[in-house]
Amino acid sequence: MDYGLAQVHAELYEALGDAVRVMEANGLRSSVMCGTLLGAVRHQAIIPWDDDADIVMPRASYDRFAALYPAQCGEGFTLDLTDTWVPRVRKAGGDAFVDIFILDPLPQGRLRCAWKLFRLKTLQGMLKQHTDYGRFSLGKRLLLRGTRALGLLMSRRAKLTAYDRIARTGGPGPRLHMSNGAFNLLTMTFAADTFDAPQPATLGPLTVRIPRDASGVLTLLYGSDYMTPPPESARRPLHLDR
């Protein structure tokens, strides 16, 4: 089936390839993640109906990438934080982007963990700029509108600074989480060595890195039947149609 995403996929491969090139050249640990990881394992390419790409990096690797990429990126590419709290590699004038998720430790102890997650979720609500409230229950809509109103009291820079400071807290600990992931990604936890020594894999024209136990990560993300594609009615882009 033609999903009308040929140009988007071309842009994704280009942006992802540029990011991976800089990461590999500087020995920065990374792995494709979420739908891009699923694409690498199930399709050996971007999922035909997917419209973004995802990378996950340990905090130390991301900090070095953020410092190095502006000077080493290909012409026209940028590391963008204008749309969301998630860093995105994208090319000027294009619609496609590569989300970079950052691995930070979760505090030990239920209350400390809950407090960190609560603050990050609140700041996400304060930072949201384009929210389709119809996708949420009444209770969540009220929370989102409330946190958005609260966010109007702070500058975007102040909110991003607070988010970065809180995201880094919690370690060292035995469990990591994607501290800038939204919804269930924020609360999903991984053993500290899950993303150590990632392995090469094919993704269309690119060679990317995937976790050693890609099956375990994908099972956590999508369930044990992750190799079975969803019904055709559910095969639709999630970002470009909003």
Side-chain angles (χ1 to χ4, degrees):
M1 178 182 293
D2 180 8
Y3 293 92
L5 294 173
Q7 180 59 39
V8 171
H9 286 184
E11 292 179 16
L12 284 176
Y13 282 125
E14 193 177 4
L16 183 59
D18 194 66
V20 169
R21 175 186 59 79
V22 174
M23 292 170 189
E24 292 287 328
N26 292 281
L28 305 180
R29 198 188 326 156
S30 68
S31 168
V32 292
M33 190 54 170
C34 300
T36 313
L37 174 59
L38 181 58
V41 172
R42 193 171 69 193
H43 303 267
Q44 293 76 57
I46 292 173
I47 295 173
W49 53 92
D50 205 357
D51 60 357
D52 80 334
D54 305 296
I55 290 178
V56 65
M57 304 182 77
R59 170 63 69 177
S61 290
Y62 171 73
D63 284 346
R64 285 193 63 206
F65 177 78
L68 294 169
Y69 188 70
Q72 298 184 16
C73 63
E75 184 177 357
F77 287 99
T78 186
L79 184 62
D80 181 24
L81 264 171
T82 59
D83 287 344
T84 178
W85 57 92
V86 180
R88 288 174 166 172
V89 171
R90 65 195 321 160
K91 193 170 186 179
D95 292 321
F97 53 84
V98 179
D99 280 336
I100 301 181
F101 294 114
I102 304 169
L103 292 166
D104 280 307
L106 272 172
Q108 298 186 61
R110 183 176 297 179
L111 289 179
R112 292 181 64 220
C113 180
W115 176 233
K116 177 180 182 179
L117 294 175
F118 171 77
R119 288 181 292 166
L120 291 179
K121 288 178 180 178
T122 299
L123 280 163
Q124 286 187 10
M126 293 167 68
L127 282 159
K128 283 181 181 295
Q129 298 186 56
H130 309 289
T131 304
D132 178 6
Y133 292 102
R135 297 188 298 116
F136 300 99
S137 66
L138 176 60
K140 288 185 177 179
R141 287 201 300 271
L142 291 173
L143 285 173
L144 284 170
R145 292 186 184 278
T147 53
R148 176 166 174 75
L150 186 63
L152 297 176
L153 302 175
M154 297 172 63
S155 71
R156 180 170 178 79
R157 180 184 293 273
K159 287 179 282 191
L160 288 173
T161 298
Y163 197 103
D164 182 74
R165 175 179 54 81
I166 295 167
R168 293 171 184 269
T169 63
R175 306 293 294 180
L176 300 175
H177 74 136
M178 291 182 283
S179 60
N180 59 341
F183 307 112
N184 64 316
L185 292 182
L186 180 65
T187 58
M188 192 174 292
T189 67
F190 305 90
D193 64 351
T194 299
F195 298 96
D196 290 350
Q199 306 298 303
T202 297
L203 187 80
L206 305 178
T207 297
V208 296
R209 300 274 179 177
I210 65 173
R212 288 173 301 167
D213 182 16
S215 177
V217 173
L218 286 169
T219 298
L220 184 62
L221 286 165
Y222 300 110
S224 59
D225 62 344
Y226 63 84
M227 290 298 287
T228 302
E232 289 194 9
S233 61
R235 300 178 190 180
R236 61 184 185 275
L238 296 178
H239 302 91
L240 299 180
D241 61 344
R242 291 180 187 173

